[in-house]
Amino acid sequence: MSYLPNTLNSFWLWKEVSSKLGVSNPAYKYWRDTQNMKLNNKYVFVKKATLPKKHEYIESVLTDLSGHLPIKFASDQLHVNEHIFSYEKMKLHREFEYKFVEDVKFVNIKKFFRENGIYVPKNSIVQLGKVKDLDLASSSSFYRLKDDYGVVIYE
């Protein structure tokens, strides 16, 4: 499996952590040993098992995001309009599994890739879209999806 759907396997959504702990938004910045990551300069995630000792108890009730990505980040990484994940009228909307955590909508990219037999090597570019809009190159891999959609992996 590629790195893309595994991006959040070892992270918690900071918004959920701060809400359940009742701490201020920038508190993670002052926790010396707590590693964090930002996606799209919008979403902050803190690494699992790096919360301060006095807050470790909260990890058992936090939402596991393994295989999921925020829809904005997923749309950027797949080079597709965010509407595909947002509106039920979009043809591929039902092909994905969604999860809401603290008003942030996540899409299960791992399940989608696995069900469609798509392998994405590290440092490759992924494009999802209508077959007629995709650019195929000799060094790319093409995966046809239903309703005239496809995925191209440029290595």
Side-chain angles (χ1 to χ4, degrees), residues 14-67:
W14 170 248
K15 189 173 182 178
E16 181 184 26
V17 173
S18 67
S19 171
K20 293 201 171 165
L21 286 175
V23 297
S24 67
N25 189 30
Y28 70 93
K29 294 178 183 179
Y30 304 102
W31 294 346
R32 189 178 347 188
D33 297 323
T34 302
Q35 300 169 15
N36 63 74
M37 167 180 70
K38 274 190 178 182
L39 297 180
N40 285 36
N41 261 346
K42 182 175 183 178
Y43 311 106
V44 177
F45 298 89
V46 292
K47 190 160 181 108
K48 292 179 179 178
T50 65
L51 293 176
K53 292 257 186 244
K54 69 179 184 178
H55 298 304
E56 284 179 346
Y57 69 92
I58 200 73
E59 290 194 12
S60 63
V61 296
L62 295 175
T63 307
D64 183 27
L65 297 173
S66 297

Side-chain angles (χ1 to χ4, degrees), residues 6-7 78 84 90-91 108 123 151 155:
N6 296 321
T7 303
L78 297 174
I84 203 166
M90 298 300 286
K91 289 185 179 186
N108 191 338
N123 298 325
V151 174
E155 296 181 42

